Amino acid sequence: MINNLRITFLGTGTSQGIPIIGSTHPVCLSDNPKDKRLRVSVLLSWGKYNYVIDCGPDFRQQMLRSNVDHLDGILYTHEHSDHTAGLDDIRPFFFRQGNIPVFAHNRVVQSLKKRFDYIFQEENKYPGAPTVDINLVKNNEPFLIGDRKVTPINVLHNKLQVFGYRIGDFTYLTDVKTVMPEEIEKIKGSKVIVVSALRIEPHISHFNLEEALRFIKEVNPEKAYLTHISHLLGFHDEVEKMLPNNVHLAYDNLTITI
């Protein structure tokens, strides 16, 4: 019997988070906890397993807040800093568990090697640095995490290739602007999807709210959650009232089970 998949939204904000440093925008000044968003990431948990999708600059805070005591691996969507900058903070997990598996496109791995060269050194490595086991993700090649199959979803973030992931009835897509028809077919049938919706106005490399809702309607899941949200989308409670019945704004610490 496969355990239910539990998804915890570790962060639901865009690259600057909400509030933005020094901003006086009304959403940044909001007292509503749902308007305070760390950088985007989710924790996938079932049975004895814990995996995260992306490992951004708020990773340490997110792990402490969610009381995560072990980590079985990291799935990367792409190499931008808000999705990768927390890699060094896997050290407590590495010290207890040993090498931490990472799953990423080869281009992303090469970027990590440049930015975190001390982690990937093979000779004269600093003894306090963590070590990772690299697993390359390739389009149209499913792979296993724990006892579950993952199907990569190939999308574009402006012109940059990004991977989304489908695990059973759950699909996660962030930093997406274009999804080709053959990739949409991989997503259809998902009970729950998570997709980015940056703001109201169009953006060169992200779905805005209108585009995200159009995409959700095409894929037709039972439920959808919006993430990678900027302050320009508006106040959480006000936007939530505007959405179709099967669509919700995700917020930090929200947990759903499939």
Side-chain angles (χ1 to χ4, degrees), residues 203-245:
H203 190 277
I204 191 171
S205 58
H206 292 273
F207 278 165
N208 68 350
L209 179 59
E210 180 182 359
E211 290 166 329
L213 292 177
R214 188 185 311 132
F215 172 78
I216 291 166
K217 186 175 182 180
E218 180 176 5
V219 175
N220 193 31
E222 292 179 9
K223 286 188 178 181
Y225 294 86
L226 304 179
T227 193
H228 205 286
I229 293 162
S230 81
H231 63 298
L232 297 175
L233 188 62
F235 292 101
H236 181 282
D237 290 349
E238 293 181 4
V239 176
E240 179 75 15
K241 294 175 184 177
M242 299 164 43
L243 300 176
N245 290 335

Side-chain angles (χ1 to χ4, degrees), residues 17-37:
I18 304 175
I20 293 173
I21 295 171
S23 175
T24 58
H25 188 282
V27 173
C28 291
L29 299 178
S30 171
D31 291 328
N32 185 349
K34 293 180 180 179
D35 285 322
K36 300 183 186 303
R37 303 181 186 275

Side-chain angles (χ1 to χ4, degrees), residues 2 11 16 18 45 49 51 63 95 103 138 145-146 197 203 210 214 236 238 256:
I2 296 179
Q16 296 184 84
I18 304 175
S45 304
Y49 297 108
Y51 287 84
M63 293 295 95
F95 294 150
F103 301 81
K138 300 177 182 179
I145 57 172
H203 190 277
E210 180 182 359
R214 188 185 311 132
H236 181 282
E238 293 181 4
I256 60 175

Side-chain angles (χ1 to χ4, degrees), residues 66-233:
S66 296
N67 196 29
V68 179
D69 62 2
H70 77 279
L71 183 67
D72 296 292
I74 304 167
L75 287 70
Y76 283 109
T77 58
H78 64 298
E79 64 267 41
H80 286 168
S81 185
D82 53 324
H83 300 260
T84 59
L87 181 58
D88 184 77
D89 284 326
I90 66 171
R91 284 183 294 156
F93 298 118
F94 167 71
F95 294 150
R96 290 196 299 269
Q97 301 170 211
N99 296 9
I100 305 299
V102 299
F103 301 81
H105 190 287
N106 183 58
R107 187 197 70 246
V108 177
V109 172
Q110 298 311 312
S111 175
L112 293 174
K113 286 182 175 181
K114 289 180 180 179
R115 297 171 62 198
F116 299 94
D117 60 330
Y118 62 94
I119 290 178
F120 295 88
Q121 284 178 352
E122 296 182 1
E123 297 181 4
N124 301 317
K125 184 172 181 175
Y126 177 67
T131 302
V132 300
D133 288 333
I134 298 170
N135 299 270
L136 295 182
V137 179
K138 300 177 182 179
N139 193 32
N140 295 319
E141 294 189 13
F143 58 94
L144 287 177
I145 57 172
D147 56 4
R148 291 186 182 242
K149 184 179 83 168
V150 180
T151 300
I153 310 295
N154 205 36
V155 303
L156 290 178
H157 177 35
N158 190 13
K159 297 180 180 180
L160 180 69
Q161 181 275 341
V162 170
F163 273 132
Y165 297 105
R166 178 171 181 172
I167 303 99
D169 290 325
F170 174 72
T171 296
Y172 183 85
L173 295 168
T174 188
D175 292 54
V176 55
K177 181 66 175 182
T178 306
V179 188
M180 299 301 290
E182 61 269 24
E183 303 301 314
I184 289 177
E185 290 304 311
K186 298 176 186 176
I187 301 166
K188 286 183 177 179
S190 300
K191 290 182 179 179
V192 176
I193 69 168
V194 175
V195 64
S196 54
L198 187 72
R199 64 190 193 189
I200 301 297
E201 293 297 317
H203 190 277
I204 191 171
S205 58
H206 292 273
F207 278 165
N208 68 350
L209 179 59
E210 180 182 359
E211 290 166 329
L213 292 177
R214 188 185 311 132
F215 172 78
I216 291 166
K217 186 175 182 180
E218 180 176 5
V219 175
N220 193 31
E222 292 179 9
K223 286 188 178 181
Y225 294 86
L226 304 179
T227 193
H228 205 286
I229 293 162
S230 81
H231 63 298
L232 297 175
L233 188 62

